[in-house]
Amino acid sequence: MTSEAGDINKYQKTEESLQDSQIELLALFNAIHDVILVLNAEGRYLKIAPSSAPSLYKPPAEMVGKTMHEVLPHAFADNFLNCIQQTLGTKKTVKIEYSLPISDQVVWFEASIAAMGEDKVVVVARDISDRKRLEDQLRQQAQDLEQTLQELKLTQTQMIHSEKMSSLGQLVAGVAHEINNPVNFIHGNLNPLQEYIQDLLRLTELYQKYGLSNQPEIQELIEEIDLEYIKEDLPKTLNSMTVGTQRIRQIVLSLRTFSRIDEAEFKEVDIHEGINSTLMILKHRLQDIEVITDYGKLPLLECYAGEMNQVFINVLVNAIDAIEQRKLQQRVAQIYDNIGKIKVQTRVVDSQWIKISIIDNGIGMNDDIQKQIMNPFFTTKPIGKGTGLGMSISYQIITERHGGKFECYSNPEKGTEFIIQIPIHQ
Ligand SMILES: Nc1ncnc2c1ncn2[C@@H]1O[C@H](COP(=O)(O)OP(=O)(O)OP(=O)(O)O)[C@@H](O)[C@H]1O
Ligand SMILES: [Mg+2]
């Protein structure tokens, strides 16, 4: 064989094996689900395989030879070109995730960009839309679960709180009931007692008038017991006993109104009674605070009376706490100038609404605190003092249970005002 014939033979063989490997490569491209693209440094598409790739922005025939900027949305092309240049600059594989709108759907890709020589890159892009959807679903489920958990936690604490309030209510009502009977007993007997004593005194006067008490023994006793003084003082004693029992009866009434044990249901009530009984319950904490009540002429209000009283006690206790906190911060002279004050004002707004304002000149709140007070568990009070539930429960009672509004305006210099607005008819 001549050397020329041998060269031709060699050339044919090389040609054949080249063709073979091209066929192999093509089969490989078609077998994998990824899209393989070759681009140059300016982002021009040189090759796309497989030519039938379904998840391409446009058919490969329309893309090859064009630049990314001619084919794709501009911002996207900018970003991708950056990655290509980064790959060529560093010779390191760059991985990115991106999405493109392809035939009415958002398709997500994960792509590796690798340098191919000095001025070309190969991009292997894989459709990861299914995985993304799954991830989104999982994320959404996790979020839903988190929210359900939060709601459960809140419900649980609210149940504990309302259980506490209702057992407190029962206790208060029970005590009030127990005191009520003996007090009525005493109170009821005071009038006849007064009459009996008057009768007896008249009798001694008769004895004295007819000289029957001139016996030395009787005279001695009259002096010993100071009959004149008894005559003068007895009515006063009886009077103060009457006043005393009347006060106890009032307190008992307040306790019963406050606990509203018999009135857990929706009914028409005089809201001032609720406020007054709450103030009475808090009397021991109001010793050094001036309470000003400025009541308008309100119609009876359809509401859950027991729950309304819970709101009043929550707001009033906060007001008392705020005044005490301010006093802790001030010098004695300042406290004297600026005595603690709580003003409760009620007004009819129009034929639909009434309004209750509770204003204190306590420590007040800055904007940051004010934004958070309706959040369950938010408290600025020391551990063990506040649970941070008072405002969130009150908010719920007013807005959700009664369709009302519960607003707070505060200023660290002046104090705080809570405005509760409630529809007259539910
Ligand atoms: N009148 C007010 N003046 C100043 N700060 C107030 C007033 N009312 C509420 N706050 C602030 O709002 C926070 C939340 O009040 P909330 O009644 O919900 O919880 P708390 O009083 O801390 O605890 P508790 O659950 O025992 O009522 C308080 O810790 C306080 O910082
Ligand atoms: Mg509170």
Side-chain angles (χ1 to χ4, degrees):
M1 205 191 291
T2 62
S3 79
E4 202 174 316
D7 279 353
I8 290 172
N9 212 350
K10 227 164 135 188
Y11 177 75
Q12 267 176 346
K13 281 219 172 103
T14 319
E15 182 83 333
E16 271 166 23
S17 71
L18 245 173
Q19 259 175 10
D20 279 353
S21 48
Q22 248 180 4
I23 290 168
E24 275 170 25
L25 262 177
L26 210 64
L28 197 68
F29 283 157
N30 287 332
I32 53 178
H33 288 293
D34 300 344
V35 181
I36 297 166
L37 310 110
V38 179
L39 296 104
N40 70 8
E42 55 165 332
R44 193 175 294 285
Y45 292 99
L46 302 180
K47 277 184 192 140
I48 298 176
S51 53
S52 61
S55 43
L56 273 170
Y57 192 65
K58 285 194 173 147
E62 287 177 34
M63 294 169 82
V64 173
K66 294 201 177 121
T67 64
M68 298 186 104
H69 279 91
E70 290 168 318
V71 178
L72 297 169
H74 252 248
F76 180 86
D78 282 346
N79 196 15
F80 212 106
L81 196 58
N82 257 341
C83 296
I84 292 178
Q85 277 154 6
Q86 191 190 335
T87 310
L88 288 173
T90 59
K91 293 281 182 292
K92 286 203 178 106
T93 307
V94 172
K95 277 193 187 288
I96 51 168
E97 269 186 20
Y98 57 88
S99 65
L100 280 171
I102 297 176
S103 49
D104 294 342
Q105 268 198 334
V106 175
V107 181
W108 276 90
F109 293 97
E110 178 188 72
S112 306
I113 310 171
M116 204 163 76
E118 288 306 313
D119 57 354
K120 276 186 267 178
V121 294
V122 59
V123 178
V124 180
R126 173 169 297 181
D127 182 342
I128 55 163
S129 305
D130 287 346
R131 193 188 86 195
K132 274 278 175 193
R133 263 191 289 278
L134 221 62
E135 277 175 8
D136 278 353
Q137 255 174 26
L138 280 176
R139 201 171 305 123
Q140 186 59 43
Q141 275 171 359
Q143 245 174 32
D144 290 351
L145 272 177
E146 176 70 20
Q147 193 177 346
T148 314
L149 188 69
Q150 286 300 332
E151 279 166 14
L152 268 175
K153 265 193 195 159
L154 185 60
T155 315
Q156 188 192 25
T157 42
Q158 277 169 349
M159 277 172 69
I160 293 171
H161 189 91
S162 70
E163 182 56 33
K164 230 166 62 183
M165 285 307 277
S166 103
S167 36
L168 177 71
Q170 275 168 11
L171 181 77
V172 167
V175 171
H177 181 77
E178 289 306 319
I179 297 174
N180 200 32
N181 283 337
V183 166
N184 278 342
F185 186 69
I186 296 172
H187 190 80
N189 282 325
L190 279 174
N191 272 341
L193 186 67
Q194 188 135 25
E195 277 171 29
Y196 297 158
I197 286 170
Q198 288 305 328
D199 291 347
L200 286 174
L201 286 176
R202 268 174 36 219
L203 186 66
T204 57
E205 270 164 18
L206 268 185
Y207 272 110
Q208 280 178 313
K209 188 174 162 192
Y210 294 107
L212 291 175
S213 55
N214 286 342
Q215 298 285 338
E217 205 181 336
I218 296 178
Q219 276 301 330
E220 243 171 66
L221 188 63
I222 286 175
E223 271 165 39
E224 194 187 317
I225 60 173
D226 198 350
L227 185 62
E228 281 313 303
Y229 180 75
I230 290 182
K231 277 191 208 166
E232 193 190 304
D233 200 49
L234 240 179
K236 288 187 203 156
T237 311
L238 281 172
N239 214 19
S240 69
M241 280 171 74
T242 314
V243 172
T245 52
Q246 251 157 11
R247 273 216 18 87
I248 298 176
R249 277 152 54 101
Q250 239 172 29
I251 292 169
V252 167
L253 191 68
S254 298
L255 289 174
R256 296 178 85 165
T257 313
F258 174 77
S259 64
R260 294 272 180 189
I261 205 66
D262 40 344
E263 295 174 22
E265 281 320 299
F266 205 69
K267 62 184 287 186
E268 283 196 329
V269 293
D270 176 357
I271 213 76
H272 295 143
E273 267 183 19
I275 299 173
N276 287 340
S277 71
T278 309
L279 287 169
M280 171 76 91
I281 300 273
L282 291 172
K283 201 155 192 137
H284 66 290
R285 291 197 64 194
L286 290 166
Q287 304 289 350
D288 302 323
I289 295 174
E290 184 186 343
V291 178
I292 307 149
T293 49
D294 171 13
Y295 294 160
K297 202 167 153 17
L298 295 193
L300 293 181
L301 197 71
E302 287 177 0
C303 66
Y304 295 99
E307 292 183 13
M308 280 315 250
N309 290 345
Q310 258 190 56
V311 174
F312 298 143
I313 204 161
N314 279 328
V315 176
L316 286 167
V317 166
N318 281 351
I320 296 171
D321 285 348
I323 288 170
E324 284 176 0
Q325 266 173 297
R326 175 174 60 73
K327 284 184 185 164
L328 282 180
Q329 286 188 354
Q330 284 179 332
R331 280 178 286 120
V332 180
Q334 284 174 306
I335 297 170
Y336 190 74
D337 287 346
N338 198 359
I339 182 181
K341 276 188 202 147
I342 295 177
K343 181 171 177 185
V344 185
Q345 191 184 58
T346 63
R347 289 288 182 270
V348 171
V349 180
D350 54 32
S351 61
Q352 314 280 330
W353 293 83
I354 63 121
K355 174 173 122 173
I356 304 158
S357 315
I358 299 177
I359 307 161
D360 69 66
N361 64 345
I363 194 162
M365 289 173 258
N366 60 29
D367 286 351
D368 186 42
I369 292 180
Q370 212 178 316
K371 266 186 235 146
Q372 304 179 70
I373 60 168
M374 307 296 177
N375 294 345
F377 308 115
F378 174 79
T379 181
T380 55
K381 294 170 191 171
I383 297 171
K385 182 133 201 300
T387 60
L389 281 176
M391 288 301 95
S392 79
I393 287 177
S394 303
Y395 181 80
Q396 216 178 18
I397 291 176
I398 297 298
T399 60
E400 282 172 29
R401 296 278 279 171
H402 293 91
K405 300 175 204 161
F406 189 67
E407 290 163 335
C408 168
Y409 301 93
S410 189
N411 178 326
E413 267 97 65
K414 291 191 183 142
T416 304
E417 171 170 15
F418 279 91
I419 299 183
I420 300 167
Q421 294 190 66
I422 306 168
I424 296 169
H425 303 288
Q426 291 288 323

